[in-house]
Amino acid sequence: IQRRICYLAVGLLCLWACGCSPPTIQGVTATGTVSAEDAPLSGAFITLEPMGNTTGPNATAPIFNGQFVFAEDAGLAGGKYRIRFAMIPAEIRRSIPADQMTSMPPDDAVIAPAYDTNSKLSCELKPGQENSLSYEVEFLKSTKKSRKR
């Protein structure tokens, strides 16, 4: 009888433990727009880097036609993030479909360090709500005259 009670207690403990586990935390999402020199930015990346007590990995998304999306699978959690922008390297840009190439700046375009390595931009992402972001960046040197249209 003691053995049966012991097995019953272990079984109930297992059922209780399985039923009381915390729910899986869904990834936080974000969408946004980026412009440079009064035009939608294309051929770039946006990177979110956790700051302070924010947990999780850095997340990077491509920017085309001025838009980017961080889906749930990016692994973002609610919290504060540092924002950085960089151009997609020229050797990778060559593999981008032609219809997306028309709105890209020239291959030698570089986003100013104030928006990349020296960026002080940040955002606060909140779980369970729409996180919509908007940024204006500048190139290291003007590409206004040579930008592909």
Side-chain angles (χ1 to χ4, degrees):
I1 287 187
Q2 287 181 342
R3 215 178 242 173
R4 288 184 194 168
I5 292 173
C6 184
Y7 287 135
L8 181 62
V10 169
L12 289 174
L13 182 61
C14 287
L15 287 173
W16 175 79
C18 291
C20 294
S21 61
T24 302
I25 297 172
Q26 296 295 321
V28 173
T29 62
T31 60
T33 60
V34 185
S35 59
E37 299 181 345
D38 300 320
L41 181 63
S42 278
F45 288 115
I46 178 173
T47 300
L48 304 183
E49 301 172 344
M51 296 174 67
N53 294 328
T54 303
T55 60
N58 288 357
T60 300
I63 302 167
F64 287 103
N65 299 319
Q67 299 182 359
F68 64 87
V69 174
F70 287 99
E72 284 187 17
D73 61 1
L76 296 171
K80 191 170 184 177
Y81 290 85
R82 176 182 179 215
I83 309 290
R84 292 179 59 180
F85 297 92
M87 295 304 297
I88 294 173
E91 55 275 2
I92 295 173
R93 290 174 61 177
R94 293 192 230 316
S95 66
I96 294 173
D99 63 323
Q100 292 180 343
M101 290 293 289
T102 59
S103 62
M104 284 203 227
D107 285 348
D108 65 345
V110 176
I111 292 177
Y115 304 96
D116 188 6
T117 53
N118 300 334
S119 177
K120 298 201 184 328
L121 297 173
S122 65
C123 70
E124 181 85 22
L125 299 182
K126 300 186 187 275
Q129 70 181 43
E130 185 176 318
N131 292 288
S132 183
L133 310 171
S134 182
Y135 297 97
E136 171 76 25
V137 300
E138 296 174 6
F139 292 112
L140 190 58
K141 61 180 182 175
S142 178
T143 58
K144 207 173 238 185
K145 292 179 184 171
S146 59
R147 184 172 239 200
K148 298 175 187 173
R149 295 265 180 205

